[in-house]
Amino acid sequence: MPDANAVDYDGLIPNNVGLSADPRLRRALESWHPRSLEWWKACGPEGFQSSLVYLRTAISVEPEGWAKFGYVKMPDYRWGILLAPRVEGRAIGFGAHRGEPAWQEVPGEYRAMLRRLIVVQGDTEPASVEQQRRLGATAPSLYDLRNLFQVNVEEGRHLWAMVYLLQKYFGRDGREEAEDLLRRRSGDRDTPRLLGAFNEATPDWLAFFMFTFFTDRDGKMQLHALAQSGFDPLSRTCRFMLTEEAHHMFVGQSGIGRVIERTCAAMRDAGIDDPHDIERVRAQGVIDLPTLQKRANLHFSLTLDLFGSEISTNAANAFDAGLKGRFQEDQIADDHLLVGASYPVLRLKGGRIVTEQAAALSALNMRLRDDYVTDALSGVERWWNRIIARAGFDYRLHLPHVAFNRHIGEFAAIEADPEGNILGAAEWQRRAHEFLPSADDDGFVAGLMRPCYEPGRFASWIAPPRAGIDGKPGDFEYVKLQR
Ligand code: BYC
């Protein structure tokens, strides 16, 4: 019997969804394919399209040996449709349909809600590629350049994943949504991407590393929540996407870790004890820790907005319908219905930030955001602060209060400092540059962004990684530019 999970690698579109036996879907995807390539050429990485890049390509959905490495020109990357193996007898794990068999087709009553979730998820993938498109010109090393392109092609594959769901399960409106995913543009005034943070600029490599640490981590949390879905194809798609997502967060976590390592080493070499002595630290050609803190403040707060409002009927409906669960829903010991349950939510009441018990169903965005904060905090402590402590400096990076710099939800109406003290508009105006990067800070970082394309060499402001990709040595030529 043929292996149902085996990847068909022979056709135009590698897949394990039986595309060759579904001519209608294959035609739809094959007609979307050239348009996605046009989009990639117009909005994907600027330049480097004919360079050979040492990339990982997914070739299987089994945990062992799921990917292979090799030199590929990015436009030739085999974007494919890969779903995690089907779990026989899988049942819906939460909400009103708990215990019923997971849906293999779209449940009619929830069609619009499901499509919306898939479109929002799908929209973020090309958006991030668009945001990062100019970074190749200033890569701090070939190793980093390769990691950027790896992230980009995999976001491209995640777009394919969502387009597959739209085209396979949503007929004509699914096809239209798939076209719109290529039509919207990050930061465009008329046709912006759907969610706020995906219309922000990613102007430099520090922003890229912060984005992959903080914003890709929202991706992790949202994909986990969707991986619990009672709509089985969405669950299986998201489960496989999570395999790739881990590397993206590694890029951010280790990228900022290497920046910190380099800064601490330069401070030590120059005999600088005070991390706040910004002028002297910057004179070493490295990024001072207070600037890193401000960048972290910015990216963390922008990412919190991606969780939507603390109290949300959309989230309650999606859970009750069995479409979007909680983080690690299947490991939570409760009734998975949440009717009558409560959850503590931070609210703004009478000009103060207070904790209030809210209906757990309405507070699901808040809960996912709390799980996110715990996850992000552990990365900051275990990676970044450990490097600073080991280097012997009395400085800690921290995450700002959730009320800081918010544009969505409960705290969008106020200004607060990173400790969560509410500030008047005038004080915020006066002090914002203490908390968020100023034009000067950004100018300094921009001034460091010069390309370093020699194999084994790294820009002044970042340390080499501990280990190469795929066990490659330090001077490996991850990107062959001259093609
Ligand atoms: N910007 O009830 P509410 C990733 C809208 S990242 C603009 O508060 P809801 C990745 C909302 O759409 C993960 N609009 O929130 C990372 C709604 O509008 P409608 C992406 C916003 O619906 C890096 C209204 O406000 N995946 O994968 O419960 C690189 C009221 O909304 C925003 C997902 O997000 C915003 N920030 O939750 C690459 C998962 N926030 O519908 C990739 C799918 C809210 O009334 N999406 N609004 O017109 C969802 O689960 C939900 O849509 C959200 C919002 C969590 C985003």
Side-chain angles (χ1 to χ4, degrees):
M1 210 172 98
D3 176 0
N5 294 317
V7 177
D8 171 2
Y9 221 76
D10 295 335
L12 181 64
I13 305 166
N15 71 94
N16 71 341
V17 295
L19 211 52
S20 58
D22 190 344
R24 223 178 108 254
L25 176 63
R26 205 184 67 211
R27 269 199 307 280
L29 285 167
E30 285 183 354
S31 90
W32 186 82
H33 184 241
R35 282 196 289 286
S36 79
L37 268 181
E38 277 165 30
W39 165 80
W40 176 267
K41 285 181 182 152
C43 304
E46 203 170 72
F48 305 98
Q49 296 292 340
S50 54
S51 301
L52 283 174
V53 188
Y54 192 70
L55 291 175
R56 164 179 94 170
T57 305
I59 48 165
S60 146
V61 292
E62 303 302 338
E64 292 303 313
W66 65 273
K68 68 166 190 203
F69 285 86
Y71 282 108
V72 181
K73 289 183 187 169
M74 285 186 279
D76 299 337
Y77 189 77
R78 303 297 306 277
W79 285 286
I81 300 162
L82 303 172
L83 272 59
R86 192 161 161 175
V87 176
E88 278 317 313
R90 179 168 180 263
I92 299 168
F94 56 91
H97 301 278
R98 176 167 155 76
E100 296 172 21
W103 294 296
Q104 300 305 327
E105 294 297 329
V106 174
E109 55 193 315
Y110 304 133
R111 193 170 188 279
M113 206 191 312
L114 186 54
R115 193 185 64 200
R116 178 76 184 161
L117 286 173
I118 294 170
V119 165
V120 172
Q121 178 62 51
D123 192 68
T124 63
E125 315 290 1
S128 66
V129 176
E130 291 163 2
Q131 287 171 297
Q132 295 160 12
R133 73 181 299 247
R134 298 210 165 82
L135 292 176
T138 54
S141 71
L142 290 183
Y143 166 88
D144 291 292
L145 187 62
R146 177 260 166 221
N147 282 349
L148 166 72
F149 294 155
Q150 184 71 60
V151 168
N152 291 161
V153 292
E154 285 177 353
E155 301 302 7
R157 209 200 65 71
H158 294 180
L159 169 64
W160 267 94
M162 292 301 120
V163 164
Y164 159 72
L165 293 176
L166 289 169
Q167 296 202 337
K168 163 103 180 154
Y169 295 100
F170 292 89
R172 176 198 284 268
D173 41 339
R175 287 194 291 279
E176 281 167 10
E177 293 284 13
E179 294 302 323
D180 285 347
L181 288 173
L182 296 178
R183 210 168 286 139
R184 286 186 287 272
R185 289 283 180 277
S186 175
D188 192 279
R189 200 197 309 205
D190 302 321
T191 52
R193 292 294 173 182
L194 297 175
L195 299 178
F198 291 91
N199 288 304
E200 299 286 330
T202 308
D204 53 54
W205 280 76
L206 195 53
F208 171 64
F209 291 137
M210 288 289 178
F211 183 95
T212 40
F213 181 84
F214 286 112
T215 309
D216 276 83
R217 195 176 300 273
D218 170 48
K220 167 185 166 181
M221 303 310 289
Q222 300 287 353
L223 288 175
H224 265 286
L226 294 174
Q228 301 284 340
S229 183
F231 180 53
D232 206 39
L234 176 61
S235 163
R236 292 174 57 203
T237 307
C238 291
R239 270 188 279 145
F240 188 69
M241 287 162 76
L242 280 164
T243 320
E244 291 165 321
E245 201 65 38
H247 175 68
H248 305 188
M249 279 178 301
F250 162 80
V251 168
Q253 190 150 287
S254 61
I256 298 293
R258 289 162 52 216
V259 174
I260 295 172
E261 205 178 311
R262 184 69 201 97
T263 299
C264 290
M267 282 167 60
R268 243 190 353 251
D269 291 348
I272 303 170
D273 296 326
D274 179 7
H276 296 279
D277 195 347
I278 290 172
E279 291 303 310
R280 276 185 74 206
V281 176
R282 289 185 177 180
Q284 314 305 312
V286 295
I287 302 170
D288 52 285
L289 299 179
T291 294
L292 286 180
Q293 178 65 64
K294 289 188 200 176
R295 286 290 186 105
N297 289 350
L298 175 67
H299 285 270
F300 178 69
S301 55
L302 285 173
T303 303
L304 291 186
D305 282 343
L306 295 174
F307 289 86
S309 303
E310 288 80 353
I311 301 295
S312 162
T313 15
N314 285 348
N317 291 340
F319 182 90
D320 197 48
L323 299 182
K324 182 180 174 189
R326 291 169 288 179
F327 180 58
Q328 298 178 332
E329 180 75 42
D330 47 4
Q331 291 164 42
I332 300 173
D334 64 12
D335 67 0
H336 302 278
L337 301 175
L338 300 182
V339 180
S342 63
Y343 187 82
V345 176
L346 282 183
R347 314 273 330 237
L348 192 61
K349 283 282 149 80
R352 293 178 47 235
I353 299 171
V354 296
T355 304
E356 218 179 61
Q357 290 297 323
L361 267 177
S362 312
L364 284 162
N365 287 344
M366 175 85 194
R367 178 170 181 143
L368 194 61
R369 197 184 78 193
D370 284 345
D371 289 335
Y372 166 82
V373 173
T374 305
D375 201 64
L377 191 59
S378 112
V380 171
E381 292 300 340
R382 291 210 339 259
W383 281 69
W384 302 350
N385 281 336
R386 207 171 269 181
I387 297 171
I388 302 174
R390 255 197 233 125
F393 291 101
D394 183 18
Y395 192 94
R396 288 176 78 76
L397 291 165
H398 48 262
L399 297 180
H401 193 279
V402 293
F404 171 77
N405 192 38
R406 298 298 308 283
H407 300 96
I408 297 274
E410 198 71 15
F411 304 115
I414 55 153
E415 300 296 358
D417 69 13
E419 280 69 48
N421 303 305
I422 296 178
L423 305 181
E427 188 176 1
W428 169 260
Q429 281 296 335
R430 207 173 56 246
R431 295 185 55 202
H433 73 277
E434 287 175 35
F435 318 132
L436 291 169
S438 64
D440 258 14
D441 298 328
D442 287 347
F444 169 71
V445 174
L448 290 177
M449 298 294 131
R450 282 184 229 104
C452 187
Y453 295 148
E454 212 179 300
R457 294 287 305 274
F458 288 81
S460 70
W461 52 273
I462 190 163
R466 291 277 148 83
I469 294 292
D470 190 31
K472 295 296 178 206
D475 60 353
F476 185 70
E477 194 176 4
Y478 287 102
V479 183
K480 294 186 194 238
L481 299 170
Q482 308 301 335
R483 301 267 171 164

